Amino acid sequence: MKNAFFLLLFLFAVSFSHAQIMGEDEVYLDGDKIEAKFQGGDLNTFYEFVMKNLDKTKIEKEGQLLCSFTVNEEGSLKNIRIVKDLGSASAFEMIRVLQLSPKWQPATRNGKPVATTYTIPFTFKRKRN
């Protein structure tokens, strides 16, 4: 396939922000926190969702695309950002796919839902025949 790309590596270098509770400037570093879950699965399940829905013809070049988003207290993806792109078409395509995401099970701290921010890298390489 001309200009075909495939995902070579999905890094688990996911950074989790500390969930904020009670005030925008108040950050809790301790307490029982359970991370958000994508449709009862883990980040591999989310990765599969992204790859199934991503139009790989929109990935313009090899490299790493870095996206960031917040799973809010209701489980919706908010504050979707492309931190590092591979061209504007690839950035718009990743945003489109992230906006399609079904609700997650939100993260909890001490039994209460909290927002959590994820930064996830996707690395693309040109398919060699």
Side-chain angles (χ1 to χ4, degrees):
M1 290 168 76
K2 213 178 223 186
N3 294 328
F5 282 87
F6 71 100
L7 183 68
L8 176 67
L9 180 63
F10 175 72
L11 302 175
F12 289 101
V14 177
S15 69
F16 304 101
S17 75
H18 297 292
Q20 295 185 353
I21 306 173
M22 300 198 37
E24 190 146 327
D25 297 328
E26 189 170 353
V27 178
Y28 287 77
L29 301 176
D30 296 12
D32 290 337
K33 181 174 180 187
I34 299 172
E35 291 301 327
K37 292 181 182 171
F38 177 76
Q39 296 195 330
D42 57 11
L43 288 176
N44 282 329
T45 309
F46 178 66
Y47 158 75
E48 291 168 5
F49 166 82
V50 170
M51 292 314 297
K52 178 181 176 186
N53 290 285
L54 188 71
D55 179 355
K56 292 157 198 76
T57 63
K58 305 277 177 139
I59 306 301
E60 300 169 71
K61 59 184 177 182
E62 292 183 335
Q64 187 178 73
L65 187 147
L66 191 61
C67 60
S68 173
F69 56 86
T70 299
V71 178
N72 71 8
E73 294 86 348
E74 290 82 36
S76 298
L77 296 192
K78 300 293 180 186
N79 304 323
I80 297 171
R81 297 180 326 151
I82 302 301
V83 179
K84 179 181 176 189
D85 69 28
L86 298 174
S88 60
S90 60
F92 285 120
E93 179 61 11
M94 184 59 78
I95 289 170
R96 182 191 70 79
V97 171
L98 294 176
Q99 289 174 335
L100 292 175
S101 176
K103 285 194 173 189
W104 292 44
Q105 179 181 341
T108 60
R109 182 173 307 281
N110 298 323
K112 296 180 182 178
V114 294
T116 302
T117 298
Y118 293 89
T119 301
I120 303 178
F122 293 89
T123 301
F124 296 90
K125 293 243 180 202
R126 186 172 303 279
K127 196 175 200 177
R128 311 275 187 235
N129 291 341

